[in-house]
Amino acid sequence: MELLKRKIMSDGVVLSDQVLKVDAFLNHQIDPLLMQQIGHEFAKRFAGQGISKIVTIEASGIAPAVMAGLELGVPVIFARKYQSLTLKDDLYTSTVFSFTKQTESTLAISSKHLNAQDHVLLIDDFLANGHAARALIDLIGQAGASIAGIGVVIEKSFQRGRAELDEQGYRVESLARIQSLSGGQVSFLD
Ligand code: 5GP
């Protein structure tokens, strides 16, 4: 998606050869017009797939997921993050290792909102090593729901998440694929 790539080049900050900061338009300040176009692009790529729900993670997945939900006309569920969780009644839960915080937390979705009839599009802001995607796939599996595919705003293709999801047979659609962040420079795969 050209507009997104231009935005990454103009407003993204390479923090290291592993981490890209996009606080100017996705992770802190949000660019609504860009989010609208991201939602449009996801909806175009997953049109006609019988998607009934979108599932994402708080907080940075919510903006792109809501815009995609608006376009596809389906509800959006965000998995909530807890440092510790004792009351697990009526919740699907899974642990996730955070790439940016380097800590573990528990993700939870209420069983009220997701069930075996759902066909889910999973959306997240970044795909790095695939921990977040794996935890969401686990939660969706607990509900007995099926997965139409995974929509990612920014994929860092040099980390292992994409290859693992491909191997597992999931359809992954990434709107910007980063080949390398070496030397403080962003280079795209296609
Ligand atoms: P994964 O679970 O695939 O290793 O990492 C994906 C999650 O970590 C995303 O939900 C995102 O919040 C965060 N993340 C991973 N890499 C980056 C990055 O380079 N920059 C930012 N801002 N977040 C990242």
Side-chain angles (χ1 to χ4, degrees):
M1 188 180 160
E2 284 311 313
L3 181 65
L4 173 63
K5 289 204 256 180
R6 282 204 300 277
K7 196 77 175 169
I8 291 170
M9 293 312 278
S10 62
D11 293 7
V13 179
V14 179
L15 287 188
S16 70
D17 60 6
Q18 303 288 309
V19 181
L20 176 70
K21 187 170 174 171
V22 290
D23 280 15
F25 60 90
L26 181 58
N27 289 149
H28 190 24
Q29 172 171 263
I30 291 173
D31 179 335
L33 258 185
L34 178 66
M35 288 309 128
Q36 189 179 41
Q37 299 203 17
I38 284 171
H40 182 73
E41 187 63 31
F42 280 138
K44 198 170 83 184
R45 294 189 190 200
F46 287 101
Q49 301 293 302
I51 289 162
S52 65
K53 295 264 166 74
I54 293 176
V55 169
T56 189
I57 302 193
E58 66 174 348
S60 295
I62 296 175
V66 166
M67 298 317 280
L70 189 63
E71 289 263 348
L72 286 168
V74 299
V76 177
I77 304 166
F78 60 94
R80 305 183 75 159
K81 281 182 198 156
Y82 296 90
Q83 248 358 288
S84 62
L85 194 61
T86 41
L87 250 185
K88 291 188 181 169
D89 283 358
D90 304 327
L91 289 178
Y92 306 123
T93 65
S94 190
T95 53
V96 65
F97 181 76
S98 162
F99 178 85
T100 41
K101 300 194 184 101
Q102 297 282 304
T103 54
E104 256 195 4
S105 56
T106 303
L107 287 187
I109 289 179
S110 165
S111 56
K112 275 195 221 99
H113 303 307
L114 199 61
N115 61 51
Q117 276 70 54
D118 281 314
H119 193 47
V120 175
L121 170 60
L122 211 151
I123 285 185
D124 204 8
D125 59 341
F126 273 90
L127 174 61
N129 292 316
H131 295 289
R134 263 200 299 281
L136 288 180
I137 289 168
D138 180 24
L139 293 176
I140 294 162
Q142 289 175 39
S146 53
I147 295 177
I150 299 166
V152 173
V153 180
I154 302 173
E155 170 189 309
K156 290 180 293 173
S157 314
F158 56 90
Q159 290 163 332
R160 65 173 197 278
R162 172 64 191 251
E164 284 185 5
L165 293 170
D166 282 346
E167 272 166 29
Q168 290 159 18
Y170 292 106
R171 177 179 171 199
V172 181
E173 291 287 340
S174 303
L175 305 188
R177 303 186 71 195
I178 294 177
Q179 185 172 41
S180 160
L181 295 172
S182 295
Q185 295 296 314
V186 180
S187 59
F188 294 103
L189 200 60
D190 38 39

